[in-house]
Each structure stands twice: as structure tokens, then as C-alpha cells.
Amino acid sequence: MPNIASPFLIKQLSSLLDNWHNQLAASHFQPVFGLAHRHIIGFEALLRVGQDASNWRSTPDFLVEASTQASARAIDFVCIESHLRAFMDASDSANWLFINVLPETFLDPSTAEEYLPALFEKLGFPADSLVIETTLDNRIDPPLYLAAVERFRKLGCLIAVDKFGTGRGSVDQVWQLQPDIIKLDHELVARAAVDDRTHNLMKGMVTLLHEAGALVAILGIETEKQAMVAMQTDCDFVQGFYFGAPQANIRQIRDQTDVIDQLWQSYRRLDTEASIAHREKLAPYVDAFRLIPTRMMMNGEPLQTAAGHFLGLPATVLCFVLDAEGRQIGEGMRGLAARELSRQQNRLQETAGASWVRRPYFRDAMHAVGELQISRPYLSSSTGQFCVTLSIAFESAGQCIVLCGDIDWDEAAHMHPN
């Protein structure tokens, strides 16, 4: 059994807290894995306190209680030094060390300008190995955060935003601060594992944060299903009990290469199965849709007649035509899956002359005339339904048009192919 209590930490906390009697305290470390790298890229340092090592107290509760006796910043400084000491004693690699600091510690100029430089010099700790984590608070002016970020960057540290995505911080703050890493809150992955809409939201969120210039980690992964959600969102790093619990002895923490390789195998299998299922669900709609231009050009049938079979399929919502500028020609023809909307919502279905030039299904069709395009599932602003749009550009009556067909994706997803 390793010595989990840190004499340095206990001594320093005892000097700050009056009622520190018969307490244990230690730095624990939880591994952070790179999914593409397939190995540990860093460790998050976590404070553990209590009278019984088998039942540590809640760290947030301890910090709140301790802050009534001593400066929260002073307690934070003690924890930071303890974490760095323990990390240097146990780690001989170039991994990052993630340390979460309180907002007041993060925003205080003396942290980056005085305390950390002196600590790095005393311990011989490389500044570029430290990732400073903070949570964002919408009540704090962004310029204060921005000034703090600049101070830590000047020192050489990396910046991570912790527990993002459940009301903590905003996208606007991310764009302004440009953190190196953003950790998505564990509540998101827990929801995404049981709710497809949240899963899709997480994918979009990871894409947006990547475009903002940040690497993305997902926290609190406890199950294989949650780990697969992380894989499917294209996040960079993962952390949670599924990959490794916090431990006092870093040397006992192992790379989970086998676990990650198994995830990659499962991901490839699920991706293949999803692609096959996607094609099978759409196959009758694709077949019927492909015949529409042929029937119009070869047989001279009007659109309403040529699209009859497509419109009669159970998940078809709309069939409509765009000109070469992306403007809709006339109103769309409603299919069996078109929903009845309220009087106010009906205004959304008045789309004659609407411009869909921004839609990928239009742009993709115009870039590959004569080739069928299938969009990703998205929420239609004209029907309020989650749909997939088929589209194809072809020449009719001397002009280039784009034929489009909306399919209710929720309806199609629950149907079994013949």
C-alpha cells in the first residue's frame, strides 16, 4: 500500500486551518488519454482529504468550509505546490499536469506573476508542462479572464476551460479567450449516451470548439457507451473512471492501449453498420427520387406526376424545385409525412421564392450536376421536422434546376427496410 498521505500537504493545511485534527490529505492523479494517440497525454491533479482513506470527503465541501478559516487563494497555493511536488516525485515523462484552480486564484495577477514563477524555480518544474484549468463565470467581465489568460501564457502555461457546456461559460467567452483545451462537462456525455439529440448537439459543439482553435476533452466517462459517444463526437481527449480512476501513485496508472484499441474496433464496426443501415433506410426513397428527372425528361411527365411514387412513400415530407440561384420555384409538394402545423406555423411553409442557396444540399448538387446528393440529418426551418434532403441538379426546359426531396428522418429511422 503506497503512502497516500502527503506530509507536506498536511503540514501546510494544518498551519492554515485551526481544526485540522487527525486528517489525511493527498494529491491524487487521474489520467487523461488521447484517443488518436492511444496513450496517456497528461494527468489531472485532484485533492483528497478526510479521516479515512477509503472514504474521502467531498473536495468542494472541504474547500467551502476551509475558506471560512483561511484565504481560498492560500489554500489553493498549498494544493498547487503539493500537486507539483507529488507529480515530480512520481512522473518521469513529458506528460501534462492539469491543475484546477479557483476563479479568484486564476484572476489574481500575483498567481502568474509572482507565485508560480517562484514555485517553478524552486522545484525546477517546466512551465510548459502545466495546464491551468478554470471554470468560466458569466458574471465576471471577459476582460478580467483575458488578462489572466495572457499572464499565464506569458509564463508558458497552457489554459483549459473546465466543465464547459452546462451553463458554465459561453461560446462568446471561448472565442475571446482562445483557450488551448476545453473540457466538456460529464453531464453532457451522460445525456448524450441516452439521447440522440444531445449526441448530435455534442458533435456540433466539438466541431464549433475545434473551429475556435481549442482541443476538446470529454470528462466523466464511466461506461463503454459513453466512451463510444466520445469517439463519435471527434473529441481529442477523454477522462473518466472507464479509462482510469484517480490514484495517489502515478506509477500504478497504466496506459489503456487495449481498451482504446477495442473502442476503435467498435467504432469502425458501428460506423460501417450505421452506414449500411442509413443506406437501407433511404434505399426506397433514393430509388423513387432518381426516377423523377428521368420521367420528366424521357417521358415528358409534369413534376407532380413524376414525383407521385416518391411523395407516396411513408416518410416523404416534401418535394420542391430550386433554380440555379437557389430560389424555390413555387410551393413544395407535400408528402405523406408532412405534418399539419398551426396557423402561425403555416407561415413557415410558405416557401415559394425562398432562397436555399446556403443549404449544403443545394451547393453540393450544383457542384456535381447529375449526381444524387444526400444531406446529413438536420432540422428543417420550413417544416420543423428533423429531415434528410435528397437533391440532384439537371437541365430541364433549357435551364438548370435542382430537384429536392425531404425525408422525415425520425420516421425513416423507425422503419424496417423491406
Side-chain angles (χ1 to χ4, degrees), residues 245-266:
Q247 296 190 41
N249 190 342
I250 289 181
R251 292 190 178 93
Q252 291 185 343
I253 299 175
R254 296 288 180 260
D255 271 320
Q256 299 287 353
T257 304
D258 291 346
V259 173
I260 295 177
D261 283 349
Q262 182 60 49
L263 279 175
W264 277 112
Q265 291 177 20
S266 298

Side-chain angles (χ1 to χ4, degrees), residues 177 269 275 283 305 314 351 413:
L177 300 182
R269 174 177 54 80
S275 297
T305 303
T351 54

